[in-house]
Amino acid sequence: MNAPVKSLTGLDLRTEIDRLRKERNAVILAHYYQEPEIQDLADFVGDSLDLSRKAAATDADVIAFCGVRFMAEVAKILSPEKTVILPDMAAGCSLEDSCPPEQFAKFRAAHPDHIAITYINCSAAVKAHSDIIVTSSSAEQILAQLPMDQKIIFAPDKNLGAYFNRKTGRDMLLWPGACIVHEAFSETELLKLKAQYPGAPVAAHPECPAFILDHADQVGSTRAILEFALASPAETIIVATEPHIIHQMEKAAPHKHFIGAPGADGNCNCNMCPYMALNTMEKLYIALRDLEPRIELDEGLRAAAKRPLDRMLEMAAGTVGKGDVGKTKVTGD
Ligand code: SF4
């Protein structure tokens, strides 16, 4: 049994959050990159695709989204009638920031013969300018449904786009964005770690640069990394993504040794997402108590952003064929 997490005038936050969750008919969704206490009390922990599906399917009145802002926006886009709260509205994303909507709209306009496949880590306004949204776990399946001669802009993550170009043999035009967390891994430090633990496989997220992925035995979404780590016969596994995912690995396989891949000086916290870290138990409690801060979206923007998200959910379920993908009409910004 975990010890009570107390603060804000000595409240037992876990008990209080539980009480408010029932009172509000709320569901708590948490990303694998959240702190362990939040993962442990969430109704569901998952990657972006899992969380999108849960947000679309829930019958709760309130979605308390423990992740970053674009993820909570996705919940609101898919479930506009729900109240969606985010413990800290400042929980942004460096990848989202690397793709301003106005510049993306101009880039699209300059390539009228391309469709835009956009990673879910972007603002609602960029989604509204996209044809299909993908997550790291759905991208390959979705790309496989498009003709090989289809011209594609892939945004905003250049590392993820380059990885899928290599994997699928496509030549997608890449928007030059990146995630500060996954860019922080050091090849030199990773090689030192591999020498220290010979035979330990490396599982890496495709947001990492190619110089890290080249040393990986498994490349995949956070969920795929988790599944690989648990299924691998290896006792020691090196994990190259945000290290809070190791919490789920240690819970499921306490006998194994999971090591986070190091950042530049081998010992920094630069591979921890500073945006995810803004959400705390105290802020989650306050958000459930006050039903603030809330995600609110202009209806035109929400509807425009929903179309490419619906395409993702349909294509990830295999219900859309090769000929069904046309361009999204952009109606909002
Ligand atoms: S880990 Fe990177 S991509 Fe994920 S939320 Fe943090 S900054 Fe954004």
Side-chain angles (χ1 to χ4, degrees):
M1 174 112 175
N2 293 327
V5 180
K6 291 198 177 196
S7 44
L8 277 185
T9 63
L11 287 173
D12 177 342
L13 289 175
R14 198 173 293 119
T15 304
E16 287 300 306
I17 289 169
D18 225 18
R19 177 180 65 76
L20 287 167
R21 162 173 32 203
K22 290 189 189 96
E23 274 180 29
R24 304 288 194 206
N25 187 25
V27 63
I28 300 174
L29 304 182
H31 193 272
Y32 288 126
Y33 296 167
Q34 290 289 277
E35 63 179 43
E37 288 79 12
I38 291 179
Q39 290 190 37
D40 286 348
L41 60 71
D43 295 288
F44 186 77
V45 184
D47 67 10
S48 296
L49 181 61
D50 299 330
L51 296 174
S52 307
R53 285 177 166 148
K54 286 285 171 192
T58 184
D59 57 6
D61 296 318
V62 174
I63 299 173
F65 207 108
C66 299
V68 294
R69 195 175 52 238
F70 77 79
M71 297 177 179
E73 271 185 1
V74 168
K76 187 68 180 175
I77 291 166
L78 295 174
S79 297
E81 71 290 356
K82 315 273 183 212
T83 300
V84 179
I85 51 176
L86 178 66
D88 191 324
M89 202 53 91
C93 168
S94 61
L95 199 43
E96 174 184 342
D97 292 345
S98 69
C99 190
E102 308 75 26
Q103 289 177 29
F104 184 64
K106 280 187 195 152
F107 189 70
R108 282 223 64 181
H111 300 91
D113 53 344
H114 287 60
I115 64 166
I117 307 264
T118 308
Y119 190 34
I120 198 165
N121 297 32
C122 64
S123 64
V126 167
K127 287 183 177 75
H129 285 296
S130 304
D131 295 299
I132 310 169
I133 301 301
V134 294
T135 61
S136 48
S137 56
S138 64
E140 197 172 349
Q141 186 186 358
I142 287 170
L143 286 169
Q145 295 173 54
L146 301 174
M148 279 305 284
D149 60 357
Q150 173 67 60
K151 292 185 177 172
I152 297 172
I153 291 170
F154 189 93
D157 191 329
K158 64 180 181 186
N159 292 322
L160 189 68
Y163 169 71
F164 285 117
N165 270 347
R166 289 195 299 277
K167 189 133 199 231
T168 65
R170 289 181 183 268
D171 185 22
M172 297 186 291
L173 193 53
L174 307 182
W175 180 268
C179 156
I180 52 168
V181 173
H182 289 88
E183 289 254 296
F185 293 116
S186 157
E187 183 179 21
T188 309
E189 295 299 328
L190 179 60
L191 289 174
K192 280 191 211 162
L193 198 60
K194 278 171 71 88
Q196 200 181 337
Y197 296 96
V202 176
H205 195 281
E207 285 174 31
C208 293
F211 60 76
I212 294 293
L213 299 183
D214 286 347
H215 300 291
D217 299 275
Q218 158 77 14
V219 178
S221 67
T222 43
R223 175 156 46 84
I225 289 174
L226 178 60
E227 288 168 1
F228 170 82
L230 300 183
S232 169
E235 288 294 305
T236 301
I237 291 147
I238 299 169
V239 179
T241 190
E242 214 277 358
H244 282 103
I245 193 172
I246 290 176
H247 179 60
Q248 293 296 328
M249 296 175 182
E250 288 174 338
K251 274 172 72 172
H255 58 288
K256 289 192 179 183
H257 184 203
F258 303 103
I259 308 171
D265 70 358
N267 205 16
C268 66
N269 285 335
C270 45
N271 52 9
M272 292 201 186
C273 178
Y275 305 99
M276 292 277 182
L278 290 173
N279 293 326
T280 62
M281 290 281 282
E282 292 182 0
K283 290 177 192 170
L284 174 58
Y285 163 74
I286 292 167
L288 279 166
R289 185 192 66 191
D290 301 347
L291 294 183
E292 294 284 352
R294 286 183 201 201
I295 302 286
E296 304 285 3
L297 289 172
D298 166 81
E299 178 52 25
L301 171 61
R302 188 199 69 78
K306 185 170 184 291
R307 278 191 289 272
L309 269 169
D310 284 343
R311 282 222 175 98
M312 173 186 79
L313 293 171
E314 290 161 10
M315 293 178 81
T319 55
V320 174
K322 281 188 180 183
D324 295 337
V325 181
K327 290 201 177 177
T328 297
K329 187 164 177 289
V330 176
T331 57
D333 214 50

